[in-house]
Amino acid sequence: MKKLTLIFGVYTLLLGILVGIIAALFLGLVHYSTDFLWTYLPNKFHFSWYYPIFIALIGSLFVGMIQLKLGNLPYSMHHNVAEVKETGRIEYRKRLLPTIFSAWIILTFGASVGPEAALIGIVGGTTTWIIDHLKLSMTHKEELVSLSIGAIISSIFFAPFSGLAEEIDTSNQEKKMPKNSKLLLSLIISFSALSSFLWFKSFLKVPASIFAIRLPDTNWSWWFILLFIPTIILGWLFSVYFQQLQVYISKAASYIKHKMIAALIGGLSIGLFGIISSFMLFSGEHQLIELTATVKDYSILFLLIIALLKPVLVAICLATGWNGGAIFPAIFTSTIMGYIVTFWMTGPVGFLIIVFVAASCTKIVGKPVLTASILLFIFPLQFFPFILLTAFIVNKNWLVAFKKPA
């Protein structure tokens, strides 16, 4: 039994390293193709203001063909996680390569979605293919696939404890705490994945992401505690706005029966929003650094337009076949709206911005511990207790977290 545990631990460690490399390679591919399409070509040929529309409509043709020929790829993060829970694997036959291609096209051509959904499908499919060739029991194979999901979240969100957090959140829903060995393996695969991801990403010279964002002075001010609950409410309301847009726009888009037409509408929307500002495009992962570093250079009206309209574009993309994740855009827009909400105040408002983002993102992601683990390395460490407290307050089932299994 000890020998099997040791072997399984080695498999977990090696799998984590592989997960990090796969994530870095894919994001590196997206970075260079995006940079070529949206920076090099416009600067080289001095394209006019309509370039975003032109390039996004070209992308629409690819997205439409993907939808018609390959299906509704890449699948959402919730779909992939549900598949793992139901089958213990993520199918790779006739799906892995189409997922890679479709995600690359969607992210390269400016969709306002994140890469997390695609990467879970890519890593999960690759992991399933690998462990299908290992001499392991079905239970251990299922555990490795599940662990790889937490590892990819750890890598792309720079959150080494997110795999552990995913296990805790999941066990709460199932009313069953994971075993200590499972928690240990979650940490092993998360740290190994994050380490290899950061090393390979630096080797590829991919720019820093949101985990270097700047906030106003975050020194403590006791009177801000009076604004703690009101700020949580405001963050929660923004998350409702973010989510309900997806509901209503998805319902409206359901009347469009032809996938090519839907993709063209999505591409046209990307182009039009891109003319307003480049901050409307992409997931916001890298742009948030620029925006937070120079936020005082922008008017409140401009920031409000970005904060309110980017969620609209996210919803349009998701409803028209430009599939992807919503976590990165949620962090991006929540941070901007947090700036706006605290603009009228003087003093160390960074604390309230953090509370606002924690409240909003918890509602959108739906998992308090996972959300807190992601935000842990984005914002100053001294405010993590308030991030965690906010996450549990916002989560409607937070009391279940402290109940013992029956």
Side-chain angles (χ1 to χ4, degrees):
M1 185 66 180
K2 292 182 179 180
K3 183 179 180 180
L4 177 61
T5 302
L6 176 62
I7 293 175
F8 192 69
V10 172
Y11 282 154
T12 303
L13 177 65
L14 295 177
L15 182 61
I17 295 173
L18 180 62
V19 165
I21 292 175
I22 293 173
L25 280 173
F26 178 76
L27 293 181
L29 173 65
V30 171
H31 165 70
Y32 286 114
S33 59
T34 301
D35 185 66
F36 174 79
L37 206 58
W38 293 94
T39 303
Y40 175 78
L41 287 182
N43 292 339
K44 180 73 172 179
F45 298 102
H46 305 287
F47 288 114
S48 186
W49 60 269
Y50 55 79
Y51 179 76
I53 294 179
F54 171 73
I55 203 67
L57 286 177
I58 292 177
S60 298
L61 299 177
F62 287 109
V63 173
M65 290 301 296
I66 289 170
Q67 292 286 305
L68 290 171
K69 302 296 183 181
L70 302 178
N72 193 33
L73 295 173
Y75 292 143
S76 69
M77 183 169 68
H78 295 295
H79 182 284
N80 285 319
V81 171
E83 182 179 355
V84 171
K85 290 181 178 179
E86 182 178 348
T87 66
R89 57 191 283 120
I90 290 182
E91 187 54 58
Y92 56 85
R93 299 179 183 88
K94 299 182 180 180
R95 195 169 107 188
L96 180 57
L97 291 180
T99 296
I100 295 173
F101 177 71
S102 59
W104 174 62
I105 289 293
I106 288 170
L107 295 172
T108 297
F109 280 90
S112 190
V113 296
E116 63 270 19
L119 277 171
I120 287 177
I122 293 169
V123 168
T126 304
T127 301
T128 302
W129 179 78
I130 292 173
I131 64 176
D132 274 352
H133 297 81
L134 296 177
K135 294 181 179 180
L136 294 173
S137 67
M138 182 58 64
T139 300
H140 283 86
K141 288 183 178 182
E142 292 176 358
E143 287 178 350
L144 275 178
V145 176
S146 177
L147 287 168
S148 71
I149 301 300
I152 194 61
I153 296 174
S154 298
S155 298
I156 59 179
F157 291 109
F158 195 73
F161 299 110
S162 63
L164 179 62
E166 174 69 13
E167 290 298 328
I168 294 174
D169 278 324
T170 302
S171 68
N172 292 340
Q173 296 168 5
E174 297 175 353
K175 298 183 179 181
K176 179 182 178 182
M177 287 297 293
K179 296 179 180 179
N180 291 335
S181 58
K182 185 69 175 290
L183 297 178
L184 177 61
L185 290 172
S186 296
L187 290 175
I188 291 174
I189 195 169
S190 294
F191 275 96
S192 61
L194 180 58
S195 299
S196 64
F197 174 76
L198 292 176
W199 177 82
F200 214 76
K201 194 177 178 182
S202 65
F203 176 77
L204 296 174
K205 301 186 184 305
V206 176
S209 60
I210 61 175
F211 310 104
I213 67 173
R214 302 177 186 176
L215 287 175
D217 186 6
T218 53
N219 293 329
W220 177 252
S221 180
W222 281 104
W223 76 273
F224 276 0
I225 201 69
L226 299 175
L227 298 174
F228 181 62
I229 296 300
T231 303
I232 289 178
I233 295 172
L234 290 174
W236 179 84
L237 288 174
F238 182 72
S239 71
V240 172
Y241 169 77
F242 191 99
Q243 291 182 307
Q244 288 304 305
L245 277 173
Q246 295 180 31
V247 174
Y248 293 130
I249 291 178
S250 176
K251 184 176 181 180
S254 65
Y255 293 101
I256 306 172
K257 301 303 180 183
H258 201 286
K259 295 184 181 296
M260 180 62 75
I261 295 176
L264 287 169
I265 292 174
L268 180 61
S269 300
I270 291 171
L272 291 173
F273 280 66
I275 291 174
I276 297 174
S277 172
S278 61
F279 290 129
M280 297 287 190
L281 304 175
F282 316 115
S283 67
E285 175 189 3
H286 303 290
Q287 296 156 303
L288 195 53
I289 298 176
E290 176 187 349
L291 191 58
T292 55
T294 60
V295 66
K296 294 181 179 179
D297 297 336
Y298 301 101
S299 68
I300 287 298
L301 178 60
F302 174 80
L303 295 175
L304 185 62
I305 289 172
I306 300 297
L308 293 179
L309 290 189
K310 190 173 178 69
V312 176
L313 183 57
V314 173
I316 292 174
C317 288
L318 295 177
T320 57
W322 293 73
N323 300 326
I327 298 179
F328 276 119
I331 296 174
F332 179 86
T333 53
S334 297
T335 303
I336 298 174
M337 186 58 75
Y339 273 114
I340 297 169
V341 168
T342 59
F343 176 77
W344 60 276
M345 303 175 65
T346 58
V349 297
F351 165 69
L352 295 180
I353 294 175
I354 291 168
V355 172
F356 185 97
V357 175
S360 176
C361 291
T362 298
K363 180 70 166 57
I364 293 170
V365 175
K367 296 185 177 183
V369 182
L370 177 59
T371 303
S373 71
I374 292 173
L375 299 181
L376 169 63
F377 288 90
I378 298 179
F379 299 121
L381 182 61
Q382 66 264 33
F383 293 115
F384 180 70
F386 291 96
I387 293 175
L388 193 59
L389 177 60
T390 300
F392 278 105
I393 290 174
V394 171
N395 183 48
K396 63 180 180 180
N397 295 321
W398 68 274
L399 287 174
V400 179
F402 300 99
K403 290 182 178 179
K404 296 181 179 181

